[in-house]
């Protein structure tokens, strides 16, 4: 449903930036194409923050406006005067956002998630992996968090949360009324889902968006990402579990989870099991076979569609809204880079005179605050190209040796936005269970995220 008042505010900001004399803008010496892009950027920020229209629709609007107002194939009377000045973007570079390797990476991840759910691989793995944790509530909570985090590394954290809350539902029905342990169990799932996504490049969109900009000498492989992501997840899961057991101590002595499912043994189910395992192994062994993460990602999609495991109806289950959201971010990133506007924004403040730590802390806090109030994907989409320009400026000044550390700060800080029900889909799903309130979520969310933010900043600054 469209919220017309909020939409009017966003459009008004867009028009103001678009028609203001360039001299009145805080950025000096903008050419007309850069000013148009700045207006589109402001519009995107407003639409993503206020959400008068769905967030994926904002991405479609961004791509459309860029094609019409900035591209070589744009609306004639809008772009005719700038063809000779070579200011326009090739329309193909904007449309390439829809076929970016990052998009393929997500499609491969969605294929694995849909196939695993269709053949109950996810639930059966949860059944097997929860057995060793026994019946004590604290141990069951730890098991739930570990399973949720592992699934969130390779599946949508939204789908993982839905599955884990479904597993937990019959157990919660048997928990005594008023036992704070019930709140802890419900909250453990979104906390673990939000943290688990950090472990791999496909675990959460901000990771993949960062990967889009980490190229050449700064490139990070799937295995390299996991080498720092998984230890961070393990540490933060331990912190989250400790805090949950202290904030919401259970009164019940035992907690039983009974999942009456069995692994399927049909040929197609076996193909799913083998393909799932093979894809993960291939992602972790790029140096051995030479295929990067993007090439490997398309293999499960090919196998599952060719064998009928994923039908055309199953394709509708992919998170296409996330695909469009990421594509819009890629498109605005391409435009910011190719028009030079990102560099102009980065140069609006002389970061070279600031202590390096203050630049990292400032970006992390800005990203963290935005991610708590809006989609963490939208936050990464807006800040990542600016962070690249800032990192490049610092590299030119000899203060940084690469862009990796600063981009990781933005990506990981975005994933720390977990304080409010609106901050992430797992938070919203847990809140919708009716077992927790805003205060409960904020209590654990603030504690875990601030500790995580501190760990991220310390690790990235030490690596500089």
């Amino acid at each position: 449903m469209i919220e017309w008042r909020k939409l009017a505010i966003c459009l008004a900001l867009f028009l103001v930036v678009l028609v203001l004399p360039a001299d009145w803008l805080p950025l000096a010496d903008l050419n007309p194409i850069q000013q148009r892009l700045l207006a589109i950027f402001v519009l995107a920020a407003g639409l993503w923050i206020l959400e008068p229209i769905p967030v994926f629709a904002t991405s479609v609007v961004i791509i459309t406006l860029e094609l019409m107002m900035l591209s070589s194939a744009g609306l004639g009377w809008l772009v005719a005067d700038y063809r000779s000045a070579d200011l326009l973007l090739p329309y193909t570079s904007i449309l390439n956002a829809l076929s970016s390797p990052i998009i393929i990476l997500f499609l491969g991840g969605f294929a694995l998630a849909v196939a695993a759910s269709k053949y109950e691989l996810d639930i059966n793995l949860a059944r097997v992996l929860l057995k060793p944790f026994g019946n004590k509530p604290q141990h069951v909570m730890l098991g739930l968090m570990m399973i949720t985090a592992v699934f969130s590394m390779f599946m949508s954290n939204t789908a993982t949360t839905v599955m884990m809350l479904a597993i937990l539902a019959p157990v919660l029905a048997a928990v005594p009324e008023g036992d704070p342990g019930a709140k802890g169990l419900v909250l453990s799932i979104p906390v673990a889902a939000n943290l688990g996504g950090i472990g791999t490049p496909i675990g959460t969109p901000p990771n993949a968006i960062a990967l889009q900009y980490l190229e050449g000498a700064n490139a990070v492989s799937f295995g390299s990402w996991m080498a720092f992501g998984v230890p961070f997840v393990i540490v933060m899961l331990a912190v989250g579990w400790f805090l949950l057991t202290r904030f919401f101590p259970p009164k019940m002595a035992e907690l039983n989870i009974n999942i009456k499912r069995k692994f399927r043994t049909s040929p197609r189910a076996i193909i799913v099991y083998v393909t799932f395992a093979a894809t993960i192994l291939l992602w972790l062994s790029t140096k051995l076979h030479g295929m990067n993460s993007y090439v490997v990602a398309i293999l499960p999609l090919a196998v599952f569609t060719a064998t009928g495991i994923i039908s055309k109806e199953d394709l509708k289950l992919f998170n296409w809204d996330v695909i469009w959201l990421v594509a819009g971010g890629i498109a605005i990133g391409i435009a910011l880079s190719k028009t030079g506007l990102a560099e102009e924004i980065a140069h609006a403040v002389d970061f070279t005179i600031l202590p390096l730590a203050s630049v990292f802390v400032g970006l992390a806090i800005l990203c963290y605050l935005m991610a708590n109030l809006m989609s963490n994907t939208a936050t990464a989409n807006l800040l990542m190209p600016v962070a690249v320009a800032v990192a490049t400026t610092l590299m030119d000044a000899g203060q940084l040796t690469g862009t990796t550390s600063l981009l990781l700060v933005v990506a990981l800080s975005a994933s720390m936005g977990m304080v409010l029900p609106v901050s992430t889909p797992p938070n919203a799903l847990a809140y919708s269970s009716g077992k927790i309130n805003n205060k409960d979520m904020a209590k654990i969310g603030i504690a875990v995220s601030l500790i995580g933010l501190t760990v991220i900043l310390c690790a990235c600054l030490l690596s500089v």
Side-chain angles (χ1 to χ4, degrees):
M1 183 177 178
I2 298 175
E3 298 185 44
W4 293 104
R5 184 177 296 179
K6 292 181 179 179
L7 181 59
I9 293 171
C10 296
L11 291 175
L13 290 172
F14 168 72
L15 291 173
V16 166
V17 176
L18 190 63
V19 302
L20 270 180
D23 295 342
W24 292 15
L25 295 171
L27 299 174
D29 301 324
L30 291 186
N31 64 50
I33 296 301
Q34 289 175 329
Q35 184 169 349
R36 290 180 185 180
L37 178 57
L38 181 62
I40 294 172
F41 184 85
V42 169
L43 175 65
L47 292 176
W48 273 329
I49 292 170
L50 298 178
E51 292 190 38
I53 61 176
V55 288
F56 72 88
T58 297
S59 288
V60 181
V61 169
I62 290 168
I63 293 172
T64 303
L65 288 176
E66 286 189 5
L67 288 168
M68 291 176 62
M69 300 175 67
L70 310 177
S71 80
S72 56
L75 191 59
W77 60 273
L78 276 176
V79 301
D81 294 341
Y82 308 109
R83 294 187 190 280
S84 59
D86 198 28
L87 295 176
L88 300 176
L89 301 176
Y91 77 94
T92 52
S93 68
I94 297 171
L95 289 176
N96 281 345
L98 295 168
S99 59
S100 164
I102 297 300
I103 300 298
I104 303 301
L105 191 65
F106 270 102
L107 289 175
F110 292 154
L112 290 174
V114 169
S117 178
K118 187 175 181 179
Y119 288 87
E120 298 185 332
L121 173 60
D122 47 9
I123 292 178
N124 279 301
L125 281 176
R127 172 177 61 83
V128 170
L129 295 174
L130 277 173
K131 276 187 178 180
F133 292 94
N135 298 326
K136 286 192 174 183
Q138 295 93 333
H139 296 166
V140 171
M141 180 191 290
L142 180 60
L144 285 169
M145 293 182 74
M146 291 176 66
I147 306 306
T148 303
V150 170
F151 283 152
S152 292
M153 291 181 189
F154 301 99
M155 293 171 56
S156 155
N157 57 13
T158 305
T160 300
T161 303
V162 170
M163 178 189 73
M164 298 305 291
L165 286 174
I167 290 171
L168 189 58
V171 179
L172 291 175
V175 175
E177 186 71 27
D179 191 329
K183 291 184 176 183
L185 286 167
V186 173
L187 286 167
S188 71
I189 291 175
V191 168
N194 292 325
L195 292 173
I198 295 171
T200 67
I202 64 168
T204 186
N207 295 4
I209 293 166
L211 215 62
Q212 171 79 14
Y213 294 94
L214 292 170
E215 299 174 336
N218 298 303
V220 177
S221 68
F222 201 97
S224 298
W225 186 290
M226 289 190 71
F228 70 81
V230 172
F232 175 80
V233 171
I234 292 171
V235 170
M236 290 310 302
L237 280 179
V239 170
W241 175 72
F242 175 80
L243 292 174
L244 282 165
T245 56
R246 295 302 181 273
F247 291 168
F248 309 99
K251 295 179 182 177
M252 51 197 155
E254 287 192 355
L255 184 65
N256 295 306
I257 293 183
N258 296 314
I259 307 172
K260 297 179 179 179
R261 302 289 179 88
K262 291 184 178 180
F263 283 102
R264 297 188 185 183
T265 56
S266 66
R268 284 183 175 178
I270 292 171
I271 291 173
V272 171
Y273 305 157
V274 172
T275 305
F276 202 103
T279 302
I280 294 172
L281 288 174
L282 288 170
W283 269 331
L284 297 177
S285 56
T286 295
K287 292 182 179 179
L288 294 179
H289 52 73
M291 294 186 294
N292 63 26
S293 304
Y294 312 114
V295 174
V296 172
I298 206 168
L299 298 181
L301 194 60
V303 171
F304 293 153
T305 52
T307 56
I309 289 168
I310 289 181
S311 65
K312 62 181 181 181
E313 293 301 317
D314 294 324
L315 287 175
K316 298 175 184 178
L317 300 176
F318 283 25
N319 290 344
W320 293 104
D321 57 331
V322 172
I323 295 293
W324 276 104
L325 180 56
V326 173
I330 293 171
I332 206 166
I334 289 170
L336 284 167
S337 175
K338 288 186 176 294
T339 62
L341 181 58
E343 189 175 349
E344 290 291 337
I345 293 173
H347 288 160
V349 176
D350 189 357
F351 290 99
T352 59
I353 65 173
L354 299 173
L356 188 60
S358 68
V359 177
F360 276 68
V361 172
L363 263 178
I365 292 174
L366 175 62
C367 189
Y368 172 72
L369 293 175
M370 288 176 64
N372 273 303
L373 298 173
M374 58 188 282
S375 158
N376 57 11
T377 307
T379 299
N381 277 338
L382 288 170
L383 293 184
M384 203 67 73
V386 177
V388 172
V390 171
T392 303
T393 300
L394 294 174
M395 286 169 62
D396 292 341
Q399 293 177 260
L400 271 183
T401 56
T403 61
T404 306
S405 55
L406 198 58
L407 296 196
L408 288 180
V409 164
V410 173
L412 302 185
S413 298
S415 293
M416 289 295 102
M418 59 174 77
V419 173
L420 304 172
V422 298
S423 299
T424 68
N427 281 19
L429 287 165
Y431 182 77
S432 68
S433 70
K435 301 290 184 180
I436 57 174
N437 56 41
N438 281 341
K439 184 179 178 182
D440 298 325
M441 185 165 283
K443 186 177 181 180
I444 187 65
I446 291 172
V448 172
S449 60
L450 290 182
I451 292 171
L453 205 62
T454 303
V455 173
I456 290 165
L457 284 169
C458 290
C460 289
L461 284 170
L462 287 173
S463 67
V464 174

